Amino acid sequence: MVIFNNIILILEKYWGLFLQGIGVTLMLSAIAVAFGILIGSLLALMRLSRNKVVKTISGAYIAVFRSTPMLVQLSIIYFGLFGVISIPRVTILGFVDLSRFIPGVVALALNSSAYVAEIFRAGILAVDAGQMEAARSLGLSKWQGMKLVVLPQAIKNVLPALANEVVTMVKESSICSMLGMAELMFGAKAVASTTYISLAPYTLAALIYFCINYPASKAIEAVERRMRRGDRQ
């Protein structure tokens, strides 16, 4: 009951801070996944290449980003890469500081791309090899067969996994609070340090993450079931 009362009091006074945090979290996640899909699809094609150099570069990239902690990656990118590349402290929308937002997006996108690459690679390999053979028999080049025949089927296979990556990224974005980015977790930390109440702000943040991710997960499951029914028909 005490924690519930504290949550109500915090919402009455700091609801704007949490609302702002939700906006930054969703924006950060959506942009990071969008770039992650672009980079990941390229990495997947490189991974499937017959060129050993290209394949090795892609494999090394994926191995590094999948085998090291997200916090370490974020720290290296923020203090290393963006220690050299200076971004002016410009605020957009009244609360998004680009000097923190851009490094956060870059770190999350690079991390996400490594997982998306494996998702795409598995989706491409799941398409029957006869599809490419049929495309080649119709006079299409290997690239045309990949673009017009294989990739559309692969994308259908990987859509649920990509949607799950968005849900994962919403949770992973909380790590950007260490940069001082005004996302949801940073808002909870700020309220906790201001009010000296620790449990209620973090519980509220957890509830908000749950309210975002749980319905999204259920929607993804519904889409998956519908796609499976379509395949059976």
Side-chain angles (χ1 to χ4, degrees), residues 122-132 149-151 153-155 157:
I124 292 171
L125 292 175
V127 177
D128 192 280
Q131 297 291 318
M132 177 60 80
V149 179
V150 176
L151 280 180
Q153 296 179 66
I155 289 172
N157 292 337

Side-chain angles (χ1 to χ4, degrees), residues 107-173:
L108 291 175
L110 293 179
N111 179 271
S112 177
S113 66
Y115 292 91
V116 170
E118 290 298 276
I119 291 171
F120 267 112
R121 186 173 73 90
I124 292 171
L125 292 175
V127 177
D128 192 280
Q131 297 291 318
M132 177 60 80
E133 293 173 5
R136 296 302 298 274
S137 69
L138 292 173
L140 298 178
S141 67
K142 187 174 181 180
W143 168 243
Q144 288 174 325
M146 178 65 73
K147 182 176 71 172
L148 300 175
V149 179
V150 176
L151 280 180
Q153 296 179 66
I155 289 172
K156 182 181 178 182
N157 292 337
V158 303
L159 274 178
L162 289 179
N164 279 317
E165 181 64 17
V166 176
V167 172
T168 300
M169 193 52 58
V170 170
K171 295 183 290 184
E172 293 289 340
S173 66

Side-chain angles (χ1 to χ4, degrees), residues 73-84 99-100 103-104 179:
Q73 297 167 20
L74 180 63
S75 300
I76 291 173
I77 289 169
Y78 182 69
F79 296 108
L81 178 62
F82 287 95
V84 177
S99 67
R100 292 181 171 88
L179 302 182

Side-chain angles (χ1 to χ4, degrees), residues 55-66:
K55 189 174 182 178
T56 300
I57 291 172
S58 175
Y61 177 99
I62 292 169
V64 167
F65 277 92
R66 286 176 59 127

Side-chain angles (χ1 to χ4, degrees), residues 151-228:
L151 280 180
Q153 296 179 66
I155 289 172
K156 182 181 178 182
N157 292 337
V158 303
L159 274 178
L162 289 179
N164 279 317
E165 181 64 17
V166 176
V167 172
T168 300
M169 193 52 58
V170 170
K171 295 183 290 184
E172 293 289 340
S173 66
S174 63
I175 203 168
C176 291
S177 62
M178 69 157 286
L179 302 182
M181 193 184 303
E183 46 75 66
L184 186 54
M185 189 63 182
F186 181 82
K189 286 181 179 179
V191 172
S193 62
T194 301
T195 61
Y196 299 102
I197 300 172
S198 298
L199 185 57
Y202 293 121
T203 302
L204 178 58
L207 289 171
I208 293 172
Y209 280 118
F210 179 83
C211 290
I212 294 171
N213 290 324
Y214 184 75
S217 299
K218 288 300 178 183
I220 293 166
E221 289 176 10
V223 171
E224 286 185 76
R225 286 194 296 270
R226 185 163 185 174
M227 289 174 66
R228 284 197 294 269

